[in-house]
Amino acid sequence: MGVHAFIVPIRDLNTLQTLPGIEIHDCGHKVGLNGVDNGALRFRSVRIPRDNLLNRFGDVSQDGKYTSSLPTINKRFAAMLGELVGGRVGLAYASVGFLKISVTIAVRYSLLRQQFGPPEQPEVSILDYQSQQHKLMPMLASSYAFHFATQYLVQKYSEMKKMHDEQLVADVHALSAGLKAYVTSYTAKSLSTCREACGGHGYAAVNRFGSLRNDHDIFQTFEGDNTVLMQQVAADLLRQYKDKFQGGTLSVTWNYLRESMNTYLSQPNPIIARWESADHLRDPKFQLDAFRSLILSLSSLQSLSKLCTIVLMQEVELL
Ligand SMILES: Cc1cc2nc3c(=O)[nH]c(=O)nc-3n(C[C@H](O)[C@H](O)[C@H](O)COP(=O)(O)OP(=O)(O)OC[C@H]3O[C@@H](n4cnc5c(N)ncnc54)[C@H](O)[C@@H]3O)c2cc1C
């Protein structure tokens, strides 16, 4: 009948010894997160009463008859896995916290650390070097973008929990899988970049990059390996693309192409045109066009963080 969740007692409540047929193994010392007590369980011929079934998606009557509101094993499997969405939302949100901490440490250090300046002049802050800015500013901008993106995800998740709307469940599933995979991969790479941006001091345990990196690394794997999650996002995008052309009349295709071409035809490419006046750069219409242009050309979340970086760097230059 598919995968189901049960409550299985594992210890005798009086002696705290493991019950017959149950084995518990500690996972041992890990690379990080040793405050989390992970273990493995093995069950051999363990029998439990049918009342121990968590029966939201399927139930067994006293005379052994199975019933479910979901018609197929696949649908029940999807419903079970759907319960993991909450964990992914939490991980994406927590990963942004790691990013904020490491970027803050690296930017503050880069402001204080001084290196070679012009001849006969005082040394300059390493944050004045373009190479240092190119490392840190995109990460700073991405921290903002991910902060708002994960806040949006949390809001959609709580709506989903209240409404149980099927379309919303599918959207939140794809969004949480994509954001969890994208944000945690980005943060994992950024932690190393931030460490390098702080030079030798970045390697001192007191400056935290080592423990942050070790604790965060597994975020790319648990609650769903990132590669597998991205495959789920790809499957959902292909389904949406297919739905867009469902019905197959010429007008559906025509509308789709017209929508895509609108941005190309209505104004010069906002990134390439390079109008640099303050009024132009601060104009919300320009910023919206720039978002559209990047999303059309890159079609990925990467465009969001790239655009934020461009806007942020332009703001810094304007200031
Ligand atoms: C510290 C820690 C805490 C955990 N806590 C929990 C917990 O509380 N509850 C719980 O249920 N689980 C927990 N887990 C398990 C965790 O969810 C799994 O480790 C994780 O989902 C990855 O599964 P796996 O280890 O079997 O890796 P695998 O699935 O074996 O993945 C190994 C590699 O194979 C690749 N791969 C696998 N399948 C595919 C595919 N279909 N297509 C392409 N590539 C693929 C992956 O990309 C990866 O690179 C925890 C794990 C750790 C390390």
Side-chain angles (χ1 to χ4, degrees), residues 30 33 36 38 218 221-225 227-228 231:
K30 292 166 289 178
L33 286 188
V36 184
N38 292 110
I218 195 63
T221 298
F222 59 18
E223 297 295 340
D225 165 78
T227 305
V228 177
Q231 285 171 345

Side-chain angles (χ1 to χ4, degrees), residues 29-316:
H29 195 71
K30 292 166 289 178
V31 173
L33 286 188
N34 279 301
V36 184
D37 187 11
N38 292 110
L41 284 170
R42 173 178 279 167
F43 302 93
R44 289 182 203 266
S45 307
V46 176
R47 291 179 68 85
I48 46 167
R50 87 189 159 86
D51 282 352
N52 288 26
L53 171 66
L54 296 175
N55 61 356
R56 184 154 150 218
F57 302 118
D59 205 358
V60 180
S61 65
Q62 224 159 6
D63 57 353
K65 200 164 164 287
Y66 179 83
T67 48
S68 171
S69 53
L70 302 166
T72 60
I73 285 182
N74 273 352
K75 289 222 159 167
R76 290 196 279 274
F77 185 56
M80 295 291 162
L81 292 190
E83 292 302 304
L84 294 177
V85 164
R88 281 181 206 136
V89 173
L91 276 194
Y93 200 82
S95 181
V96 182
F98 277 80
L99 184 62
K100 288 177 187 170
I101 294 171
S102 64
V103 172
T104 305
I105 295 172
V107 170
R108 283 188 181 158
Y109 178 80
S110 301
L111 264 176
L112 294 176
R113 167 75 169 150
Q114 295 184 333
Q115 273 286 16
F116 317 93
E120 314 297 326
Q121 302 267 327
E123 293 181 323
V124 295
S125 159
I126 57 172
L127 196 57
D128 286 339
Y129 292 123
Q130 275 190 340
S131 54
Q132 193 77 354
Q133 291 172 359
H134 278 287
K135 274 184 211 161
L136 297 179
M137 291 301 126
M139 286 190 279
L140 182 58
S142 299
S143 307
Y144 280 94
F146 294 161
H147 170 85
F148 293 115
T150 48
Q151 269 195 341
Y152 175 79
L153 176 64
V154 170
Q155 181 198 328
K156 284 279 145 198
Y157 176 70
S158 56
E159 273 172 35
M160 181 198 92
K161 278 291 186 193
K162 280 183 217 137
M163 288 161 61
H164 302 292
D165 174 72
E166 240 181 64
Q167 184 54 50
L168 195 55
V169 171
D171 288 349
V172 172
H173 176 81
L175 194 60
S176 63
L179 269 179
K180 183 270 186 191
Y182 189 80
V183 171
T184 58
S185 296
Y186 186 92
T187 299
K189 288 190 194 85
S190 301
L191 282 165
S192 287
T193 310
C194 286
R195 202 291 294 152
E196 288 166 39
C198 295
H201 280 291
Y203 201 58
V206 68
N207 289 324
R208 299 178 66 193
F209 291 117
S211 57
L212 287 170
R213 201 157 51 175
N214 283 359
D215 284 349
H216 180 274
D217 190 61
I218 195 63
F219 279 45
Q220 299 171 97
T221 298
F222 59 18
E223 297 295 340
D225 165 78
N226 282 357
T227 305
V228 177
L229 291 184
M230 278 305 192
Q231 285 171 345
Q232 291 185 18
V233 177
D236 191 73
L237 288 175
L238 287 173
R239 186 190 51 74
Q240 285 182 30
Y241 189 70
K242 191 172 153 221
D243 287 352
K244 214 165 177 123
F245 291 96
Q246 212 74 43
T249 59
L250 205 59
S251 65
V252 178
T253 312
W254 167 244
N255 284 341
Y256 179 81
L257 289 175
R258 200 186 47 188
E259 228 175 77
S260 308
M261 287 309 288
N262 251 352
T263 318
Y264 283 122
L265 299 178
S266 63
Q267 72 275 310
N269 183 317
I271 305 293
I272 294 170
R274 290 201 162 274
W275 293 326
E276 287 170 344
S277 73
D279 283 351
H280 172 66
L281 294 176
R282 291 210 162 109
D283 180 1
K285 184 170 175 331
F286 155 72
Q287 300 195 353
L288 192 61
D289 286 343
F291 266 114
R292 287 205 176 112
S293 167
L294 271 178
I295 289 194
L296 278 175
S297 60
L298 294 174
S299 291
S300 79
L301 263 175
Q302 220 176 354
S303 29
L304 184 67
S305 70
K306 280 205 172 136
L307 183 73
C308 285
T309 307
I310 291 164
V311 172
L312 190 82
M313 289 183 94
Q314 284 165 345
E315 289 288 320
V316 168

